Amino acid sequence: MPKDVLTFKRGGVHPKDQKHFSNNKKLETLPIPSLLVVSLSQHLGAPAKPLKKVGDSVKKGEKIGTASSFISAEVHSPVSGVIKKIIKQPLANSVVADAFLIEVDKDAEEVVFEKVDYSKKSDEELLNTIKDLGIVGLGGATFPSHVKFMIPKGKFVEYLVINGVECEPYLTSDHRTMLERSEEVLEGIMIAQRVTKAKNVIIGIEENKMDAVEKLRSIIKEKNYPIKVQPLKMRYPQGDEKQLLKATINREIPSGKLPLDIGAVVANIGTCFAIYEACAYNKPLIDRVVCISGECINEPKNLIVPIGTPIKELIDYCGGFKEEPDKIISGGAMMGFAFSSLDIPVVKGTSGVISIKEENKAIETACISCGKCVEVCPIGLMPTMLYRNIKNGNYQTALDKYSLMDCKECGCCSYTCPAHIPLVHYFKTGKKLARRKK
Ligand code: SF4
Ligand code: SF4
């Protein structure tokens, strides 16, 4: 490994990156569909409270849901139109929440977000803009950004680490954003730096995106931004905060602690682009880049999509399927959720729609105690013991002795297991049942 290419130390796997389907496909804007389904629960935390009722007209960018607790986020209409219904809408992650069914008014006057000079705004005003315009983490976690950037008294941020890793197979939305919205992403990062008052800023990018490394470096040099771009060896799950911080700043987040406890804040590339659009144009988070990829899709693409678009619209726009997929996944192939229906809409956290054939439909057999799952666990857990205890109903032992709650559900153990045991599935179920028992 060249000296200036870093990575994390413990565990991890090297799945085929499968980026070739879409990494050279330029960003395209999806035409506005006629109906959108905008969920009030598109972020981590409490669902937003509805501000509109059936029959109300809404304008593109208008607030239609407001944060209902400290950890929650505002929701805006991606289009101008009329609210036809409020329905219970299941999402890819199985959450069922109220959603507005919005019929698009194709004749409505176009809403243009004008450029504003945000340089005179105070840091507090910028933070309020990020809150008011509904920005959440777009890497998948959807944690409200204003909460993450609200640094409590007595804490300070030594490192703002920007996640440009995109280590999940197939996904290329952040890669294309770094290449095609480079200046905007860097400006968004500088806003995040101002708001968090971070002393150092590092962007971590895996080696399969060296074109993005070079592009960002050249703009950083030209603009004299105090930002370092750090190439990282390709390795999954390097996009997880724990592994990313180990790789970039060589610090470990202790069990049960947050990045801020070790002086760091992590933000994703797509989030920084959304922060730029919010601060420089007063544009709420009403669309995002979604990577449509996989072996089964006719024309893989990286699309700019209005939030609330049913995924069947994306699949149709990409020419439909060339063969029937075994699975359509929201997000990456390792940690994503299988879509149960093509009517499920894009939410703020939808980074990809991946249609795949399962190469190896192998049957689960008994554990052979090979220890491979232990070798690859990036957290240092013992997946084999977690599995045995959960299978036997010993949830308390899994929690207390084998730290079940520290499992990041990265799937490295399941990926490696020669007995094809769906370990991560057991851990997800085990966590749910343990919580219920409590
Ligand atoms: S899913 Fe959990 S137990 Fe398995 S490798 Fe990842 S963190 Fe470790
Ligand atoms: S990798 Fe699979 S077979 Fe090997 S010890 Fe772990 S659970 Fe058992």
Side-chain angles (χ1 to χ4, degrees):
M1 195 189 340
K3 227 177 156 188
D4 68 336
V5 178
L6 304 176
T7 189
F8 59 98
K9 300 271 182 311
R10 184 171 49 207
V13 292
H14 298 93
K16 277 193 230 159
D17 86 348
Q18 307 288 42
K19 309 279 190 187
H20 60 280
F21 290 105
S22 56
N23 60 1
N24 58 358
K25 301 292 171 80
K26 289 195 173 166
L27 297 177
E28 261 181 68
T29 303
L30 181 84
I32 305 282
S34 50
L35 265 185
L36 294 188
V37 184
V38 182
S39 175
L40 287 164
S41 186
Q42 327 197 14
H43 45 264
L44 200 86
K49 268 193 290 198
L51 294 175
K52 297 283 173 187
K53 53 186 190 322
V54 174
D56 283 352
S57 292
V58 290
K59 264 193 157 186
K60 180 175 173 181
E62 189 179 345
K63 197 179 285 184
I64 54 175
T66 191
S68 60
S69 72
F70 180 63
I71 302 184
S72 184
E74 312 292 306
V75 177
H76 302 78
S77 179
V79 289
S80 297
V82 175
I83 298 192
K84 297 306 272 184
K85 275 185 190 170
I86 297 176
I87 56 171
K88 290 274 176 217
Q89 176 64 51
L91 303 175
N93 59 2
S94 305
V95 166
V96 180
D98 284 347
F100 291 116
L101 201 76
I102 306 176
E103 189 177 71
V104 179
D105 178 358
K106 299 258 181 197
D107 301 322
E109 200 183 318
E110 181 55 18
V111 173
V112 180
F113 297 102
E114 304 279 357
K115 186 117 204 255
V116 292
D117 178 10
Y118 67 85
S119 65
K120 293 188 186 70
K121 282 192 178 180
S122 67
D123 298 351
E124 203 184 336
E125 284 169 325
L126 289 174
L127 188 63
N128 278 334
T129 302
I130 291 169
K131 176 176 189 272
D132 206 42
L133 297 182
I135 311 302
V136 301
L138 296 190
T142 62
F143 192 80
S145 300
H146 67 280
V147 181
K148 187 182 264 194
F149 292 169
M150 215 182 283
I151 310 302
K153 274 206 175 108
K155 298 255 179 198
F156 70 98
V157 181
E158 204 177 337
Y159 292 99
L160 171 65
V161 178
I162 305 300
N163 189 349
V165 170
E166 209 165 44
C167 61
E168 275 271 12
Y170 297 95
L171 297 183
T172 54
S173 39
D174 281 348
H175 185 188
R176 291 311 313 178
T177 305
M178 287 190 281
L179 284 177
E180 297 181 55
R181 301 288 187 270
S182 329
E183 301 210 2
E184 295 88 338
V185 165
L186 289 169
E187 224 175 299
I189 293 172
M190 290 311 297
I191 296 169
Q193 187 274 331
R194 258 188 74 184
V195 172
T196 57
K197 301 178 181 57
K199 277 193 179 166
N200 306 285
V201 186
I202 303 175
I203 311 174
I205 303 176
E206 287 197 343
E207 276 182 305
N208 55 353
K209 296 178 272 291
M210 285 311 284
D211 48 356
V213 170
E214 274 147 34
K215 178 102 193 265
L216 294 180
R217 276 181 173 166
S218 86
I219 300 169
I220 287 168
K221 196 170 170 203
E222 187 192 311
K223 304 239 175 188
N224 208 15
Y225 284 141
I227 301 176
K228 179 183 174 190
V229 182
Q230 177 62 60
L232 302 171
K233 189 174 152 60
M234 281 166 60
R235 194 157 163 217
Y236 177 86
Q238 198 146 234
D240 183 274
E241 287 184 341
K242 226 175 167 104
Q243 281 65 51
L244 179 63
L245 292 177
K246 182 67 190 162
T248 50
I249 62 171
N250 197 22
R251 289 188 186 177
E252 296 223 17
I253 310 175
S255 169
K257 298 284 181 190
L258 297 168
L260 196 53
D261 295 312
I262 57 163
V265 165
V266 178
N268 156 274
I269 288 293
T271 316
C272 293
F273 179 62
I275 288 171
Y276 166 79
E277 289 203 304
C279 295
Y281 287 92
N282 274 331
K283 184 181 163 204
L285 181 45
I286 53 174
D287 53 28
R288 66 155 298 148
V289 178
V290 182
C291 170
I292 324 298
S293 185
E295 297 83 12
C296 301
I297 196 84
N298 258 315
E299 293 170 56
K301 290 181 189 289
N302 295 291
L303 294 177
I304 301 168
V305 177
I307 303 292
T309 305
I311 62 149
K312 63 172 179 273
E313 301 273 353
L314 277 56
I315 290 165
D316 287 350
Y317 188 74
C318 293
F321 298 125
K322 56 183 173 200
E323 57 177 320
E324 201 52 41
D326 290 324
K327 252 190 196 172
I328 308 168
I329 301 169
S330 168
M334 295 290 283
M335 278 189 85
F337 301 94
F339 283 107
S340 55
S341 150
L342 299 186
D343 293 326
I344 289 179
V346 167
V347 286
K348 292 178 181 178
T350 311
S351 51
V353 175
I354 312 299
S355 314
I356 55 167
K357 275 273 172 223
E358 280 180 312
E359 263 175 38
N360 196 350
K361 290 186 196 162
I363 294 168
E364 178 182 339
T365 54
C367 170
I368 53 166
S369 302
C370 65
K372 285 192 173 160
C373 55
V374 180
E375 267 169 47
V376 298
C377 179
I379 309 295
L381 303 178
M382 296 181 70
T384 175
M385 295 311 292
L386 280 170
Y387 155 69
R388 281 176 201 181
N389 279 286
I390 291 167
K391 203 174 175 198
N392 293 324
N394 303 327
Y395 305 117
Q396 209 53 45
T397 312
L399 284 173
D400 298 340
K401 197 166 172 199
Y402 297 106
S403 311
L404 173 61
M405 288 305 175
D406 283 349
C407 167
K408 304 289 253 175
E409 301 175 11
C410 66
C412 290
C413 51
S414 313
Y415 176 83
T416 316
C417 177
H420 307 289
I421 301 169
L423 294 162
V424 72
H425 172 76
Y426 279 98
F427 306 156
K428 284 181 187 173
T429 314
K431 282 184 189 178
K432 266 190 211 153
L433 293 176
R435 274 195 210 108
R436 212 174 285 166
K437 259 194 149 180
K438 228 177 180 180

